[in-house]
């Protein structure tokens, strides 16, 4: 099928950057990204690109280049579906918060709503592409909805999971390790392969059956998260044995069978995907009665929760077993550097624990606005919104955030943190001045020389 018009449902962290790159590389295809969230669409259409809803290095430039030419952001979902030969479903698939599978299974209600919407309004044949991360065999459900609700048009369903990492999304999209397309119809697969083919070499475009494609995405995230939990498990052992986790990581990473990436010990992984995708994998395994498989992967999450908890426990015990009434400055709130995404960020859980111990928290993050910080804490419902407002303050300046603090907790590995005037920060803090470096980004010797009591992970 010749594709002249693409519609993407979901203008989020995946839909936005992915479609912007597709539009840039395919100037003859009109790409329309639609969303039910009017505020988000308005932000994507803002003249001032510093106000785009998603921060990713290099993204604003591509939006400036393509927006209004062949890239459009709209809330007119039905119109965009009708106009397009190919429709990407890129909506959120969070962990269920109710009913069967609560806390484990993926909530597919948004995906199902999209499928029903497409089925109801489509008047011509469509290729429907699963871009969202979905449980293996979801395509079957989508197919059933499309074929039983529709206006007698043909639908081909493809699975095309997204492997971009936030913070490097544009680079990952421009130079993907691979593009994965799962499907039954060769014609549909080649239509999508042609779109990627405008900038990705054919050897990097993998064609598989739908189920392998769906399961590969969950598996990739499980393997990546497992590496983090593996090195974090070793970090705790290092702290008891005078081994240094950086040295261990370097030594094992030079083994070509292991490789050096994803071996940074830290406060634990966050982000919208790793936890929810592993929980989903565990749920699927259990639903087939594969308890050993489920237990194995669940341990990755258990270890990650343990790592966050032991960071805050260590902070409290080091501050003479109480943080009540003490000011703790948190540098970083995003789940990793170079993104404004805070979903499942370790900072949220560490802050929540410290707040339960009556600490006062001062937050500085270069890209996360105050509204998100309060929103994240209020969402947990551990205490009232008013109490969070009283106990937490946010700052636009790191020197102000750390003034008068008893301790600093580094939660995100933003590069700018390394370049601060740490002597100035030290001078303005309560003494002894503590740093808890949850990302191992500062130099211990240098910090000790200034006078800080410095501790990091795995050393
Ligand atoms: N964020 C990542 O790094 C990443 C990477 C790879 C894959 N994924 C997967 O991609 C999917 C999307 O993730 P995201 O981070 O972009 O989510 P997101 O929450 O940032 O964006 C999803 C968007 O879909 C919109 N939406 C929901 N239901 C809709 C409907 N019925 N009609 C129109 N719009 C609707 C929401 O308003 C929201 O703006 C998820 O399945 C996720 O697991 C995410």
């Amino acid at each position: 099928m010749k594709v002249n018009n693409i519609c993407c449902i979901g203008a989020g962290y995946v839909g936005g950057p992915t479609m912007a790159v597709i539009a840039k590389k395919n100037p003859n295809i009109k790409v329309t990204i639609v969303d039910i969230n009017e505020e988000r669409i308005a932000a994507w259409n803002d003249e001032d690109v510093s106000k785009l809803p998603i921060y990713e290095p290099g993204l604003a430039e591509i939006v400036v280049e393509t927006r209004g030419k062949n890239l459009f952001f709209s809330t007119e979902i039905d119109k965009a579906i009708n106009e397009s030969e190919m429709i990407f479903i890129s909506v959120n698939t969070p962990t269920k918060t109710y009913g069967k599978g609560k806390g484990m299974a993926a909530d597919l209600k948004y995906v199902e709503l999209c499928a029903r919407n497409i089925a109801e309004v489509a008047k011509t044949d469509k290729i429907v592409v699963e871009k969202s991360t979905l449980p293996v065999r979801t395509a079957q459900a989508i197919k059933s909805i499309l074929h039983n609700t529709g206006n007698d048009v043909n639908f081909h369903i493809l699975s095309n999971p997204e492997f971009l990492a936030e913070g490097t999304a544009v680079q990952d999209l421009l130079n993907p390790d691979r593009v994965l397309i799962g499907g039954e119809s060769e014609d549909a697969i080649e239509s999508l392969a042609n779109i990627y083919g405008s900038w990705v070499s054919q050897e990097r475009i993998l064609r598989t059956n739908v189920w392998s494609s769906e399961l590969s995405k969950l598996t990739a995230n499980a393997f990546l998260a497992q590496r983090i939990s593996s090195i974090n498990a070793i970090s705790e052992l290092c702290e008891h044995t005078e081994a240094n986790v950086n040295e261990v990581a370097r030594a094992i990473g030079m083994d070509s069978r292991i490789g050096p990436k994803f071996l940074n010990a830290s406060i634990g992984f966050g982000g919208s995907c790793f936890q929810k995708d592993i929980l989903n994998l565990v749920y699927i395994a259990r639903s087939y009665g594969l308890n050993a498989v489920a237990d194995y992967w669940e341990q990755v999450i258990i270890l990650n929760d343990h790592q966050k908890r032991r960071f805050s426990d260590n902070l409290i015990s080091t501050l003479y077993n109480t943080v009540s009434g003490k000011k703790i400055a948190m540098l970083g709130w995003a789940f990793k550097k170079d993104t404004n995404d805070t979903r499942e960020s370790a900072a949220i859980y560490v802050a929540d624990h410290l707040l339960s111990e009556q600490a006062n928290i001062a937050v500085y993050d270069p890209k996360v606005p105050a509204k998100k910080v309060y929103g994240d804490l209020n969402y947990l419902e551990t205490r009232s919104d008013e109490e969070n407002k009283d106990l937490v303050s946010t700052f636009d300046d790191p020197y102000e955030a750390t003034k008068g603090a008893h301790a600093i907790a580094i939660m995100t590995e933003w590069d700018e943190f390394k370049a601060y005037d740490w002597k100035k920060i030290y001078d303005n803090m309560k003494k002894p001045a503590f740093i808890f470096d949850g990302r191992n980004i500062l130099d211990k010797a240098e910090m000790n020389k200034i006078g800080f009591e410095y501790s990091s992970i795995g050393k």
Side-chain angles (χ1 to χ4, degrees):
M1 186 191 281
K2 174 99 182 73
V3 176
N4 297 313
N5 295 281
I6 288 176
C7 162
C8 173
I9 309 179
Y13 282 85
V14 167
T18 309
M19 292 303 127
V21 169
I22 286 183
K24 175 184 162 70
K25 295 293 184 181
N26 292 276
N28 298 326
I29 298 180
K30 180 181 171 191
V31 180
T32 307
I33 311 180
V34 293
D35 204 294
I36 38 174
N37 183 335
E38 289 176 12
E39 201 184 322
R40 211 168 208 187
I41 291 296
W44 278 113
N45 282 321
D46 203 306
E47 279 296 302
D48 176 359
V49 285
S50 72
K51 300 213 174 93
L52 295 184
I54 285 162
Y55 171 73
E56 278 291 337
L59 177 62
E61 290 81 348
I62 298 180
V63 170
V64 168
E65 186 188 329
T66 51
R67 194 176 56 185
K69 295 193 183 93
N70 69 325
L71 178 67
F72 299 89
F73 296 91
S74 165
T75 50
E76 292 184 274
I77 300 177
D78 293 358
K79 180 166 176 269
I81 290 173
N82 245 329
E83 275 177 9
S84 307
E85 298 87 30
M86 182 175 277
I87 301 156
F88 287 79
I89 299 179
S90 188
V91 298
N92 36 330
T93 49
T95 304
K96 268 186 95 175
T97 53
Y98 55 89
K100 189 168 178 242
K102 179 181 172 179
M104 297 295 291
D107 191 344
L108 298 181
K109 73 177 169 203
Y110 306 107
V111 172
E112 180 169 339
L113 279 171
C114 288
R116 290 190 184 279
N117 199 348
I118 295 168
E120 273 159 26
V121 305
K123 296 195 192 77
T124 52
D125 294 356
K126 311 280 180 204
I127 298 171
V128 176
V129 184
E130 298 175 344
K131 184 51 106 179
S132 297
T133 302
L134 299 170
V136 55
R137 296 204 74 85
T138 303
Q140 200 167 21
I142 294 182
K143 193 172 175 181
S144 160
I145 291 166
L146 289 173
H147 288 286
N148 287 304
T149 321
N151 304 316
D152 249 1
V153 298
N154 282 317
F155 294 105
H156 292 295
I157 296 148
L158 298 177
S159 160
N160 173 224
E162 185 47 60
F163 293 100
L164 67 80
E166 287 180 29
T168 52
V170 170
Q171 274 317 310
D172 295 343
L173 288 161
L174 290 172
N175 304 298
D177 289 340
R178 78 314 207 178
V179 166
L180 180 56
I181 305 175
E184 281 173 359
S185 153
E186 240 172 71
D187 186 45
I189 292 174
E190 290 319 308
S191 297
L192 182 54
N194 275 339
I195 291 166
Y196 284 108
S198 8
W199 80 98
V200 181
S201 66
Q202 285 301 321
E203 311 83 75
R204 284 182 188 264
I205 303 179
L206 305 183
R207 286 109 167 136
T208 65
N209 79 32
V210 190
W211 322 124
S212 306
S213 175
E214 288 177 337
L215 188 55
S216 296
K217 174 63 193 175
L218 293 183
T219 308
N221 274 355
F223 270 61
L224 290 168
Q226 180 206 43
R227 273 179 80 94
I228 299 177
S229 280
S230 297
I231 198 71
N232 282 342
I234 298 300
S235 78
E236 190 170 12
L237 191 53
C238 286
E239 288 165 26
H240 288 270
T241 56
E242 291 184 43
N244 176 325
V245 76
N246 285 2
E247 292 176 356
V248 174
R250 185 151 177 261
I252 65 166
M254 285 173 79
D255 185 325
S256 60
R257 292 166 302 177
I258 297 174
K261 293 187 180 162
F262 262 65
L263 287 180
N264 290 330
S266 73
I267 190 168
F269 59 76
S272 67
C273 293
F274 283 175
Q275 173 158 314
K276 90 170 163 63
D277 292 348
I278 295 179
L279 289 172
N280 186 9
L281 190 67
V282 170
Y283 183 76
I284 294 167
R286 281 211 206 288
S287 70
Y288 285 103
L290 310 177
N291 288 325
V293 177
D295 291 346
Y296 175 77
W297 287 109
E298 194 163 27
Q299 199 59 35
V300 173
I301 304 282
I302 293 170
L303 202 288
N304 196 52
D305 289 340
H306 170 69
Q307 188 78 350
K308 288 181 269 190
R309 186 67 182 199
R310 80 183 186 87
F311 181 84
S312 45
D313 280 341
N314 176 41
L315 190 151
I316 296 164
S317 66
T318 309
L319 292 188
Y320 316 107
N321 286 320
T322 177
V323 288
S324 178
K326 292 180 182 169
K327 177 176 175 181
I328 313 294
M330 285 191 151
L331 295 183
W333 191 263
F335 84 93
K336 66 192 284 200
K337 73 172 181 177
D338 291 338
T339 176
N340 61 350
D341 195 351
T342 64
R343 288 175 290 182
E344 292 299 329
S345 178
I348 304 169
Y349 298 97
V350 170
D352 189 53
H353 183 194
L354 297 178
L355 289 169
S356 297
E357 294 287 332
Q358 302 181 340
N360 293 310
I361 306 272
V363 180
Y364 166 77
D365 186 290
K367 290 287 175 199
V368 177
K371 195 175 151 199
K372 257 194 188 176
V373 173
Y374 291 114
D376 289 337
L377 289 168
N378 294 343
Y379 182 78
L380 297 180
E381 295 183 348
T382 312
R383 63 195 70 71
S384 70
D385 296 8
E386 290 70 35
E387 282 172 288
N388 282 328
K389 193 90 200 156
D390 282 348
L391 291 168
V392 180
S393 43
T394 61
F395 292 82
D396 295 330
D397 179 286
Y399 297 96
E400 287 302 316
T402 51
K403 205 175 263 175
H406 294 76
I408 293 173
I410 297 182
M411 310 307 295
T412 312
E413 71 281 22
W414 287 103
D415 290 334
E416 67 171 59
F417 296 168
K418 295 182 213 163
Y420 287 170
D421 181 345
W422 283 98
K423 172 80 176 80
K424 181 174 158 188
I425 290 175
Y426 175 79
D427 288 343
N428 286 327
M429 285 176 67
K430 291 248 178 352
K431 307 294 176 324
F434 293 91
I435 295 180
F436 298 87
D437 186 350
R439 298 291 181 164
N440 290 0
I441 56 172
L442 299 179
D443 185 73
K444 180 177 167 56
E446 214 176 288
M447 292 301 125
N448 288 154
K449 203 167 141 211
I450 293 171
F452 282 110
E453 299 286 330
Y454 172 86
S455 62
S456 56
I457 308 273
K459 292 179 197 168

